[in-house]
Amino acid sequence: MLDGCTPWPADTAARYRRNGWWRGETLGDLLRAWSTTYADRTALVAGPDRITYRELDARVDRMAAGFARHGIRAGDRVVLQLPNVGEFVVVAFALFRVGAVPVFSLASHRASEIRHLAELSGAVGYVLPREHRGFDHLGLARRMLAEVPGLRRAFVLGGGSGDGDDRFVSLADVDADPKPGYPAVASDVAFFLLSGGTTALPKLIPRTHDDYAYQVRTVAELCGVSADDVYLAALPVEFNFTWGCPGVIGTLSRGGTVVLAEDPSPDRCFDLIAAERVTVTSVVPTVAQLWLEAAEWGGADLSSLRLVQIGGAKLPPELAARIEPVLGCRLQQVFGMAEGLLSMTRDGDDAHTVVHTQGRPVSAGDEVRIVGERDEDLPPGQVGELLTRGPYTLRGYYRAAEHNRRAFTADGFYRTGDLAQRTPDGNLVIEGRLKDVVIRGGDKISAGEVEGHLLTHPLVSRAAVVPVPDEYLGERTYAFLVCPAQRPTLPDLKQALHERGLAEYKLPDRVEFVAAFPLTPLGKVDKKVLAAAAADRAAPRDWAPAT
Ligand code: OOB
């Protein structure tokens, strides 16, 4: 396995193989097999483009050879930042085939995030759009190539640099005659997902070919995906939910059709659902709410939908109860994480289970513990931290030995930071979380990361970021600041964060200045008190000055 990753213990890996869960197949080889079986069926619909399985496989082969010709080798890391376009799928599989490892960045990431991901992963390449939603990615790439020493090449969708710099390659020129025999290995890392962020900077989650192929096969089976299904990728494709739960890969594994939406707005998605006869899709609760409102207006033809998966953040039961009657299809609640574990309600579940729980883990190999403060197992009905390990859950973040000692138990359980209880009939209910994260819409924002940026402002001496409940986004970001000398203006603060290259969605929605922070008996900032005060604007703020 790639240096810096934590492999599963040998006896555990052997058991996963013996059980037929890990089959020694790489994702690149699997695409070849699917394209042989489903040759002339439509694999991908993206904008005006429709491509068959055979064409997809051929494009992947040519691009893999193209990457090899441009010096990308097995084990090389490549930051992949593309919106929902067909090229995302082609690039990802081309890199899988070569044995190179894409790092799935978000299209909304800016200098701060891309620099960190490129440095941490030791990336040699960066795949990006020339421009997207008015943002000059090419300019960002120029900066990254200048600032990150190991980064050698930028592959640009929509053209090269245009000024003769040969480190910039047009993605269209990543094309060569295919050659057989790439060295990708199934037990090795296929790609990196990003952690939802409990630490100041995002961590990299290694996903192996073996573990991801197993996840996708299991979920596609559980969701009854067939060649008749049409999956709408409404959320960003690089999100684990969209990519493989069953998502893009799960649909391809069964001969179905993947339709890529530029954004999850009801306007765009309802047209695609009607035109392409979409049967399955996955959204976060915020998007589900927008879809419900739009569907209640009437006029949309959603009759082809059979299943809407909702996950990524807490789905309020009132919203859950409206899904089936308004959208006219089954609801599946999904509790998942880029790190691995997926828990889902099932087709045969009764209405109460589907509306009020997040279902059960998808694999017989998933081990879940709900524990109290001393890591003791709690009985059903009691709320504690959810720990998990299993055949598609990581054993360690990439190059993060110190953090891993805290994030995992000695016997390899991942501490999710989520608070959950198990119902007497074995379903999980997510009750909250211990980790210092704001879940704004579907986006995970690390409080520590935003605080770190706020603290670089010369007028800010202390910063604490907490979630505040929001009707539309579920949560918003609320920043408490201590500025003893003088208060910065809001536009000034926003501008400062912007200049530091922080992605837009991480900017605090609201800022409040206080004289001091409330402290816990151990002298730590008491974020529970801060969060309660943020939720209740009328609450007193007379916290004693910190000593
Ligand atoms: C998904 O993955 P991530 O990595 O962006 O975020 C994981 C975290 C979980 O640890 C939990 O805190 C929260 O998001 N979460 C939920 C939830 N689903 C995820 N909290 C409450 N209820 C739910 N249903 O978000 C993700 C990955 C794959 C499939 C679905 C979601």
Side-chain angles (χ1 to χ4, degrees), residues 395-456:
R395 288 302 183 118
Y397 293 100
Y398 184 58
R399 292 183 173 164
E402 197 193 314
H403 178 74
N404 287 339
R405 277 191 281 279
R406 273 173 281 133
F408 295 83
T409 62
D411 55 356
F413 276 86
Y414 166 56
R415 298 182 189 275
T416 64
D418 290 308
L419 291 171
Q421 62 161 307
R422 221 191 301 251
T423 63
D425 50 0
N427 289 293
L428 293 172
V429 179
I430 307 306
E431 301 281 359
R433 56 186 180 272
L434 294 168
K435 54 192 173 191
D436 209 4
V437 169
V438 180
I439 305 189
R440 186 182 186 275
D443 292 323
K444 313 298 183 315
I445 301 168
S446 153
E449 180 181 6
V450 181
E451 287 160 6
H453 285 282
L454 287 166
L455 283 171
T456 63

Side-chain angles (χ1 to χ4, degrees), residues 194 196 239-241 245 310-315 333-339 342 358 416 418 430 433 435 439 442 444:
L194 308 189
F239 188 23
N240 185 26
F241 199 8
C245 301
I310 305 184
K314 185 178 174 52
L315 178 65
Q333 287 217 43
V334 180
F335 163 70
M337 58 198 71
E339 283 80 357
L342 299 172
Q358 285 67 54
T416 64
D418 290 308
I430 307 306
R433 56 186 180 272
K435 54 192 173 191
I439 305 189
K444 313 298 183 315

Side-chain angles (χ1 to χ4, degrees), residues 25 43 78 83 154 165 190 210 303 324 370 400 501 535:
E25 295 160 328
V78 176
D165 182 340
D210 269 333
S303 58
E324 298 198 353
I370 310 267

Side-chain angles (χ1 to χ4, degrees), residues 120-300:
L120 177 60
S121 68
V124 299
Y126 176 22
V127 181
L128 60 138
R130 194 182 174 87
E131 187 266 1
H132 178 61
R133 294 202 179 137
F135 180 75
D136 173 20
H137 286 263
L138 184 58
L140 174 59
R142 284 210 187 88
R143 212 176 132 186
M144 293 299 105
L145 258 64
E147 291 177 14
V148 182
L151 205 54
R152 295 195 304 257
R153 269 207 167 47
F155 301 97
V156 188
L157 175 64
S161 76
D163 58 9
D165 182 340
D166 63 7
R167 296 174 307 164
F168 290 80
V169 180
S170 167
L171 202 55
D173 295 334
V174 183
D175 178 77
D177 288 334
K179 37 175 205 196
Y182 293 113
V185 176
S187 58
D188 217 325
V189 184
F191 56 97
F192 283 111
L193 292 174
L194 308 189
S195 72
T198 47
T199 45
L201 293 164
K203 296 174 300 300
L204 295 175
I205 299 163
R207 300 299 307 252
T208 67
H209 295 272
D210 269 333
D211 92 64
Y212 212 71
Y214 171 62
Q215 168 185 309
V216 160
R217 191 168 67 240
T218 306
V219 178
E221 163 118 44
L222 189 147
C223 295
V225 177
S226 78
D228 295 330
D229 274 310
V230 179
Y231 174 77
L232 180 71
L235 299 172
V237 277
E238 67 274 8
F239 188 23
N240 185 26
F241 199 8
T242 325
W243 186 238
C245 301
V248 174
I249 306 196
T251 304
L252 294 178
S253 74
R254 297 290 183 116
T257 298
V258 172
V259 178
L260 297 171
E262 263 174 65
D263 63 64
S265 66
D267 277 357
R268 189 169 316 265
C269 289
F270 286 8
D271 283 352
L272 286 170
I273 292 170
E276 301 294 339
R277 307 295 299 157
V278 168
T279 60
V280 180
T281 190
S282 30
V283 293
V284 291
T286 318
V287 170
Q289 183 164 358
L290 292 176
W291 283 22
L292 281 177
E293 284 165 13
E296 277 163 348
W297 270 93

Side-chain angles (χ1 to χ4, degrees), residues 119 230 318 368 517:
E119 284 175 354
V230 179
E318 314 79 72
V368 168
F517 290 152

